[in-house]
Amino acid sequence: MSHDGVGPRAALRSVAFLTAGMLAVPALAGCGSDDPAGKPLAGADIARTDRSGIADGGTLRWAVDTVPDTLNTFQSDADATTTRIAQAVLPSMYRMDGRGRPVRNPDYLESAEVVGTEPKQVVLYRLNQQAVWSDGREIGAADFAAQWRALSGKDTAYWTARNAGYDRIEKIERGKNDLEVKVTFSRPYADWKSLFTPLYPKEVMGTPDSFNDGARKKLKVTAGPFTVKKVDTGKDEVTLTRSTRWWGDPARLSKIVLRAVPHDKRISALSAGTVDLAEIDPAAARRITAAALPRSGSSPLTGPGADRSAADALRSWAVANGSDEDAADEEISARKKLRKKMAKYARQQKALGGFEVRKSLEPAHTQLALNGADGPLADERVRRAVARALDRREIAEAVLKPLGLPAEPLGSHLALSGQAAYADGSGALGEQDAKEARALLADAGWVPGGPVKKKDKEEKAAGSEGNSGSESEGGDDGTYIVGEDDGGNGDGGDDGKAPRDSGTGTRQLRQGGAPGAYAPRGTAAPARAGNARVAKDGKALTLRFVLPSGPGSDTLHTVAGRISKMLERIGIGTKISKVDDESYFKDHVASGEYDLALYSWPATAYPATDARPVHAKPVPAADGSLNVEQNYTRVGTDQVDQLFDQAVTTLDDSEHRALLRKADSRIWAAAGSIPLYQRPQLTAARKNLANAGAFGFRTPVYEDMGFLKKPAGGPGAGSAGPSAGD
């Protein structure tokens, strides 16, 4: 889970967002125009290059969020960097293709198939005969068995974060020879391809001590194109070096250095030449794009001083040279500071000219979460009213269109467009319709223009400082109110949308003015038309909207503002609270201290397994508390749980997809969470870096990454940045 760069991600099988790479696979059947799964909205943007064009050697310096606390992806404190390292140094039986679907990894697996279903499901793995650990030992059944025992959940001495799938295995045996591994399940398991990715050696999984502590800061035995050389917490970096035991295509790079760089420091790191690859936010992307634009005159296009007009410059000169000595000294000091900032900015922009922005869509989606545990949103009708008020396409366009990315609202909680389980299930909830939203509120007892208790009015006034519908800061607590009561009658027309075109090139205003009066096309309707606050039992409906406040959360603030305005149109107010990133999930989302919240979930190729805890019906625990698993909305139904249970045991692919799509429709109908859009993925990459960037769905192919060869007789593209042997 994430909220644009903040929050724990170890919950799902991916541990973090499932990054992607460059895996060439044949087209799969069943992806025609009649397939509801559709196609990915955006492909990978990685400067794909044939290996023959890449230099041998060099160091890729890759910005990451953290130096991980553990190298064991199955522990609770594993993070995105843990996953990235595991992808480069450990076996994976399956990895993600460009459509977010699992495909066999031929470097480790010759074949894998279900060879029996009665009386038990049996899967036979045939391993690549060249696949060996870095100590020379063959990868085999002993490693599979050790991982199963560690993750089965039967031995509580293992500090495991998850055991889904492994708890369904009955036994693991050697097949006809050392290259065959036979796995027998006690119960059918549709997501069996999710298992043994990554696969750790028996030296790590064999005992609780080695599992719990042995793989936290080092991996003595690996089996990938790279191996872990050092985890240096002092330098905040992890160094991977080319493996001499790797049997596949040899890695083009000599080293990969994963360097922890905060998102708000990445422009500085890129311009200083300390990193070559980094995920960035839209503001940083704009700077890199601007660095490639031609400049006219001496004024900068962006940065300090870019908005200074000639009049501003003249006024500054006049003050600096005026008779008021104090004002002149202050202005001279300010001018010096500005010149320093401009010079620094110019140097950075020059250095950023060696980079480009590679963009795609992340295998993750951002959702609006509605806390159904208590308060107004415990009523399904109110949740559905909130959902029906949202124009999800407008929200997606606000985030993605300025970035030049496909701006399509997401239609599924369980998959993204192109993935096997995807289908647009939003019809179970209904389209955006303000009139229907207000009807749902009225049915739940929330009516416009109802009496509001004096105390409630005073509280609102104190929080909004007299706000009349627009956002306003409400003191030092990071909160502000949107959508205050204006005493109107709530009559917003027959559909609650913008005034309709009269057919004469103008729009008829239904609020105020003489009957039949017209205004030119584009004239806004009166600010308070049709959005009188709704109230019940003397209390106006105001929802707590909690957001993170740290760097990288600007997009969420934009989205929250749009949502608040949409809710205001149906009479719902929002009290927006901006909280520290560190406390956002723990103290608000996970603990249920919110009404509305925005955060993201990673996509997975195995939603029957991985998405179930996100949508499972909360159940009372033995101590009287509520066990919500990862369902932070606290909204769930028995039917959804049953559909997940059926899907995870169904080995027929078509039936499996149908059950998941049915479950998604029921999740839509319950309106506990509203998928909004697939998250943008923006990556700054050195221009001569190939096969790396915005991976989209694909799992990275680390051995293919590298720097372009320098053309003979000239500096060429490879002159900027690391070269072979760096």
Side-chain angles (χ1 to χ4, degrees), residues 221-296:
V221 180
T222 57
F226 288 87
T227 187
V228 179
K229 181 180 181 181
K230 187 178 183 181
V231 177
D232 192 331
T233 54
K235 291 185 177 180
D236 279 340
E237 61 185 34
V238 179
T239 301
L240 310 180
T241 56
R242 184 161 50 189
S243 173
T244 57
R245 282 282 187 178
W246 176 242
W247 57 93
D249 290 332
R252 307 306 290 165
L253 292 165
S254 298
K255 289 192 297 185
I256 297 176
V257 176
L258 303 173
R259 183 166 293 160
V261 181
H263 280 259
D264 59 345
K265 303 294 185 185
R266 291 190 177 178
I267 279 291
S268 296
L270 290 162
S271 60
T274 58
V275 296
D276 309 298
L277 185 68
E279 288 193 6
I280 54 175
D281 60 24
R286 287 192 291 270
R287 282 200 60 178
I288 294 172
T289 301
L293 296 175
R295 287 178 54 191
S296 58

Side-chain angles (χ1 to χ4, degrees), residues 359-629:
K359 57 189 177 181
S360 184
L361 293 172
E362 273 193 44
H365 77 271
T366 296
Q367 67 171 18
L368 175 67
L370 294 79
N371 185 356
D374 52 32
L377 295 178
D379 189 325
E380 181 179 299
R381 293 167 295 184
V382 179
R383 296 198 305 271
R384 289 175 64 86
V386 169
R388 296 294 294 273
L390 303 184
D391 186 335
R392 296 187 303 117
R393 180 170 295 278
E394 178 186 318
I395 293 170
E397 288 180 350
V399 174
L400 299 171
K401 198 170 183 179
L403 303 175
L405 290 167
E408 292 293 326
L410 186 63
S412 172
H413 297 77
L414 308 182
L416 300 175
S417 183
Q419 292 190 291
Y422 184 82
D424 189 341
S426 61
L429 178 62
E431 296 180 353
Q432 187 264 345
D433 188 327
K435 181 178 180 180
E436 180 61 27
R438 285 194 293 268
L440 286 163
L441 290 175
D443 189 50
W446 296 94
V447 295
V452 179
K453 293 179 181 177
K454 181 179 180 181
K455 180 181 178 182
D456 188 43
K457 286 185 176 180
E458 291 173 350
E459 288 176 350
K460 289 188 299 171
S464 65
E465 297 293 333
N467 175 34
S468 181
S470 62
E471 301 175 6
S472 72
E473 295 299 330
D476 298 328
D477 62 351
T479 66
Y480 54 89
I481 305 290
V482 179
E484 287 307 307
D485 185 16
D486 65 347
N489 60 16
D491 179 16
D494 60 353
D495 61 359
K497 299 180 181 178
R500 291 179 175 172
D501 197 324
S502 67
T504 62
T506 59
R507 292 182 183 272
Q508 184 171 8
L509 299 183
R510 301 185 179 220
Q511 297 288 330
Y518 288 86
R521 180 187 297 275
T523 300
R528 301 299 301 169
N531 57 353
R533 287 288 296 280
V534 296
K536 179 180 181 181
D537 299 328
K539 186 173 179 63
L541 180 50
T542 301
L543 300 177
R544 300 168 296 166
F545 204 153
V546 182
L547 297 171
S549 61
S553 54
D554 290 348
T555 297
L556 292 188
H557 299 163
T558 298
V559 171
R562 297 262 179 160
I563 290 173
S564 294
K565 293 298 184 185
M566 292 171 187
L567 295 182
E568 182 184 350
R569 293 171 193 152
I570 65 167
I572 297 178
T574 53
K575 180 178 181 181
I576 294 181
S577 297
K578 298 177 182 179
V579 303
D580 290 340
D581 289 350
E582 293 76 13
S583 67
Y584 181 63
F585 278 104
K586 180 181 178 182
D587 297 335
H588 295 277
V589 176
S591 63
E593 293 297 320
Y594 74 97
D595 290 321
L596 303 174
L598 292 167
Y599 54 87
S600 298
W601 281 115
T604 168
Y606 311 102
T609 296
D610 294 333
R612 189 191 191 284
V614 178
H615 302 286
K617 182 180 179 180
V619 296
D623 62 359
S625 63
L626 194 65
N627 180 11
V628 302
E629 296 191 63

Side-chain angles (χ1 to χ4, degrees), residues 72-94:
N72 187 339
T73 63
F74 296 100
Q75 292 183 332
S76 61
D77 52 352
D79 61 16
T81 313
T82 309
T83 297
R84 185 162 290 164
I85 294 168
Q87 290 171 340
V89 308
L90 290 171
S92 57
M93 299 303 108
Y94 286 83

Side-chain angles (χ1 to χ4, degrees), residues 690-705:
N691 296 327
F695 297 104
F697 279 123
R698 291 184 180 273
T699 304
V701 178
Y702 291 80
E703 60 268 35
D704 287 352
M705 298 178 189

